Amino acid sequence: MTGTETVVLREMRWWDIDSVLELERDLFPEDAWSRGMFWSELAHARGPGATRRYVVAEEGDRIVGYAGLTTSGAEGDAGDAPAADVQTIAVTRDHWGTGLGSRLLTELLRAATEFECAEVMLECRVDNVRAQKLYERFGFEVIGVRRGYYQPGNVDALVMRLTDPSASVTPDHSVNGVQGTEIHG
């Protein structure tokens, strides 16, 4: 098992996509994202109208994890606060159980707080108990099931929600700063 003390979190950039895709295909062979999906997400992750936040976890010159979040952006028509959705979190197998998933999720919740989101949603495979336990430790609760959500395997997804993400970014979940993570720059 590897510790995370040598792992640095930083903003995901276009030149990370090949490494991220390699890890994506290894961990999610049936329903891996495409190159175009990552490009599309990163296109909305910078500048004054940014609605995405993607980070990578790097150890030396190796990417050992990544995570991404999207937000609905500005306040809705009814004046309600925007919502966020965790799009992906992945950690190499040799970093499972080291706390790296918690660091990545903490960074996403910090971003949701910066986006002033009132809640964070996510989908989690029903057979991914490791991820479910992580999300529950942060206060996510199951609010529904999406039948056959993950294709082509036809695997159901638990829909989970966290209200007030700022409350989950506590000293217990603190991480070192992320390099190059200004949402608007």
Side-chain angles (χ1 to χ4, degrees), residues 143-160:
I143 61 167
V145 175
R146 292 183 197 236
R147 302 281 177 220
Y149 182 79
Y150 291 99
Q151 293 297 327
N154 201 36
V155 177
D156 295 344
L158 297 176
V159 179
M160 302 180 82

Side-chain angles (χ1 to χ4, degrees), residues 12-77:
M12 185 188 294
R13 300 301 305 272
W14 65 268
W15 52 80
D16 297 315
I17 291 176
D18 285 341
S19 297
V20 167
L21 275 174
E22 199 174 303
L23 183 52
E24 175 83 3
R25 290 175 185 142
D26 178 51
L27 294 172
F28 311 112
E30 286 189 359
D31 50 12
W33 282 24
S34 68
R35 180 180 314 282
M37 291 171 77
F38 281 106
W39 270 103
S40 178
E41 290 297 295
L42 292 182
H44 300 282
R46 295 181 66 84
T51 58
R52 308 290 196 275
R53 172 78 165 134
Y54 278 78
V55 296
V56 292
E58 197 170 45
E59 187 171 52
D61 61 355
R62 177 178 169 229
I63 291 180
V64 295
Y66 58 91
L69 173 120
T70 184
T71 178
S72 57
E75 287 185 6
D77 293 334

